[in-house]
Amino acid sequence: MKSIGIAIIGLFLSSQIAAAAPSWAQISFTTTSGDAPKILAAAEALMSSDVGKEFPGKLLLQILTADGDNPATHMFVPIYKSAAEREGYVQKLQADPAWTGFTAVMGAASQPVSTVLYRNVGSWGDINETDHVWAAHAFAVDDPAAFQTAIEKYLDSKTGKKFPGQVYLSAVVAGGISPVSHVISVGYASEAEMDAWIEDRNGTKDWANYQDDVEGNAEFLGTSLARDVKSWGAATLEDITSN
């Protein structure tokens, strides 16, 4: 079976993203509690190497805490400001022995599940590095422009302006055969913050209006929850998502 490293190479080399748009991916895999520390160590070694220190984006290693029947236990989330930035870096990465060492560990200690490539089309809220709990809400959207407008309208409402976290709307660029076209990624400081916000939000007129605005245009397909294990890269989320 192909190693997760091969999947990552395919992600890095994809050229289907608009050059000016931030791009990111979910590279999910299964591992065991005994092998998870090996993967963390391998990622640390890669990002501490000379080529790793040249990485221009942000890399997250996350553990999936709620994802239904998805067999994945973890995922890497590499984020770049543009496809051009990724392309230039990857030419160095592939030829470096540190990359070979990383993929060898991944091949021995994990099994790939899926790789989904996204293009970020909007970001809102308090963009920071302190949010480590991420809810990913998947949708099948008929009218992307109207969907984004509904999100912007809600976040500009009285209720939306109280939102404590950060929000990203992303379009699926490549992910195999799947009904998912868009994902709303929401970052929180903690699960407690997330639960408190949902309790405050639900029942408000602004939330009801948002539900009405997207009804008939976006089919909700489910939510997964992940928590950051560690992140690498000098770039911040604000650096990457700002125009």
Side-chain angles (χ1 to χ4, degrees):
M1 182 176 289
K2 293 185 292 184
S3 72
I4 191 70
I6 299 301
I8 297 174
I9 290 175
L11 160 71
F12 285 150
L13 290 179
S14 174
S15 60
Q16 298 181 47
I17 299 180
S23 62
W24 62 284
Q26 289 180 331
I27 307 166
S28 61
F29 59 93
T30 61
T31 190
T32 65
S33 58
D35 283 336
K38 300 176 185 177
I39 293 171
L40 175 58
E44 185 66 49
L46 174 64
M47 301 309 292
S48 298
S49 68
D50 288 342
V51 71
K53 291 175 181 177
E54 295 181 41
F55 176 59
K58 189 173 185 69
L59 177 66
L60 306 177
L61 172 59
Q62 298 179 331
I63 184 169
L64 286 156
T65 58
D67 57 355
D69 60 1
N70 180 2
T73 59
H74 294 74
M75 59 187 176
F76 281 107
V77 181
I79 313 168
Y80 292 90
K81 192 173 181 67
S82 69
E85 182 180 74
R86 183 188 67 251
E87 208 167 28
Y89 175 69
V90 149
Q91 292 177 4
K92 297 180 181 180
L93 180 67
Q94 279 189 288
D96 196 279
W99 175 252
T100 303
F102 171 72
T103 56
V105 173
M106 291 300 297
S110 71
Q111 293 291 334
V113 173
S114 68
T115 298
V116 183
L117 185 61
Y118 300 90
R119 174 172 49 85
N120 179 250
V121 296
S123 58
W124 305 270
D126 179 18
I127 310 300
N128 65 71
E129 305 304 300
T130 60
D131 289 341
H132 298 297
V133 172
W134 295 91
H137 308 286
F139 295 85
V141 178
D142 293 328
D143 185 341
F147 187 56
Q148 182 168 348
T149 297
I151 295 170
E152 291 173 342
K153 175 184 172 184
Y154 168 67
L155 290 171
D156 195 44
S157 69
K158 183 178 179 180
T159 301
K161 288 178 179 179
K162 297 178 183 179
F163 173 63
Q166 52 191 307
V167 183
Y168 302 88
L169 173 62
S170 301
V172 174
V173 173
I177 300 173
S178 168
V180 179
S181 66
H182 290 75
V183 169
I184 299 175
S185 303
V186 188
Y188 299 93
S190 65
E191 291 184 37
E193 181 182 72
M194 178 180 69
D195 287 344
W197 164 248
I198 292 173
E199 184 174 351
D200 290 343
R201 176 203 70 192
N202 288 350
T204 66
K205 179 62 175 176
D206 293 327
W207 181 246
N209 288 340
Y210 166 74
Q211 298 290 320
D212 290 341
D213 287 343
V214 300
E215 185 177 4
N217 179 36
E219 179 185 0
F220 175 60
L221 299 174
T223 297
S224 62
L225 193 65
R227 180 182 293 273
D228 292 343
V229 175
K230 190 161 185 179
S231 64
W232 299 267
T236 66
L237 291 172
E238 187 173 9
D239 291 335
I240 294 168
T241 58
S242 62
N243 293 324

